[in-house]
Amino acid sequence: MRKISALMVTILMMWAGLRYCWLTIVGKNDPVFASWLVLTVSVGIAFWTYWTTDHHSLVDNIGNTVDLVVTALILATISIFGNNVRSGFTWFEISNLAIAGVVLIFWWRSKSPFLSNLAIQALMVIGYLPLIARMLTVDENPEPWSSWIPIWFACVFAMVSAYLPKKDGEGAVKPRTWKDTFLPKVYATRALVIVTVLLLLMLRAELD
């Protein structure tokens, strides 16, 4: 079941990512290069710090794994094919990149990928605040349901992969400590909560 859920995460996120790339290529959206750069850097650091912990698994942390592929693909598409790209950096985006740099320094000095991962995930939550704030003030929903609903389902499947116990070839549950699976659980839970909040705000804008 864990591997099936991981496959569903991959399919749903890749569909959403490739759709965004196609809309960028044909000029039907207005991507913000700086926002995608910040997101890719944060997701990359999250994956890097997780992968250097003593116990790591692509299936456990499938949400982070696929996020890195998708954000990097979108950033590359924007850089190469983007026609309506909004360039420049806001103070918020610059601050996010600076804090990401601080997290890297903390990781280097503390030798603690676990705490560094939690720090970068906290930064990822902060990174969504401008979008949430904007959604609280709009009269019409500017976000596409066709993108966010598949992402929401991907988050649900990522939760399954992160929370279900790992079994051996005979079906017995492998013993693992809480720390072995804590970071994937935090990543999946954080993502699901944020996307759920966004969907609720989209629904509020539709009903107003």
Side-chain angles (χ1 to χ4, degrees), residues 8-20 36 39 63 66-67 70-71 74 128 131 143-159 187-188 190-196 198-199 202:
M8 291 303 300
V9 173
T10 304
I11 293 173
L12 289 166
M13 288 300 297
M14 288 302 297
W15 183 88
L18 290 173
R19 181 178 180 275
Y20 190 94
W36 283 105
L39 182 58
V66 178
D67 275 355
V70 170
T71 55
I74 291 175
Y128 275 95
L131 176 58
E143 296 294 327
W145 291 99
S146 57
S147 294
W148 285 107
I149 288 179
I151 292 174
W152 186 85
F153 277 107
C155 291
V156 172
F157 283 114
M159 291 276 287
Y187 193 98
R190 173 196 54 76
L192 181 61
V193 169
I194 289 174
V195 175
T196 300
L198 286 175
L199 287 176
M202 290 164 60

Side-chain angles (χ1 to χ4, degrees), residues 97-171:
L97 289 174
I99 296 173
V102 171
V103 172
L104 287 175
I105 294 173
F106 171 79
W107 180 22
W108 171 58
R109 296 291 294 177
S110 68
K111 309 299 182 185
S112 175
F114 184 86
L115 292 178
S116 302
N117 185 279
L118 293 177
I120 202 68
Q121 291 209 54
L123 180 62
M124 293 172 71
V125 173
I126 295 172
Y128 275 95
L129 292 182
L131 176 58
I132 292 174
R134 180 167 65 92
M135 291 299 298
L136 286 170
T137 59
V138 295
D139 296 324
E140 295 182 359
N141 174 32
E143 296 294 327
W145 291 99
S146 57
S147 294
W148 285 107
I149 288 179
I151 292 174
W152 186 85
F153 277 107
C155 291
V156 172
F157 283 114
M159 291 276 287
V160 174
S161 294
Y163 278 85
L164 278 185
K166 188 176 183 179
K167 298 181 179 181
D168 59 23
E170 298 180 353

Side-chain angles (χ1 to χ4, degrees), residues 171-187:
V173 175
K174 290 185 177 181
R176 296 194 288 180
T177 66
W178 69 270
K179 202 170 183 179
D180 295 344
T181 58
F182 185 74
L183 294 179
K185 288 176 179 177
V186 171
Y187 193 98

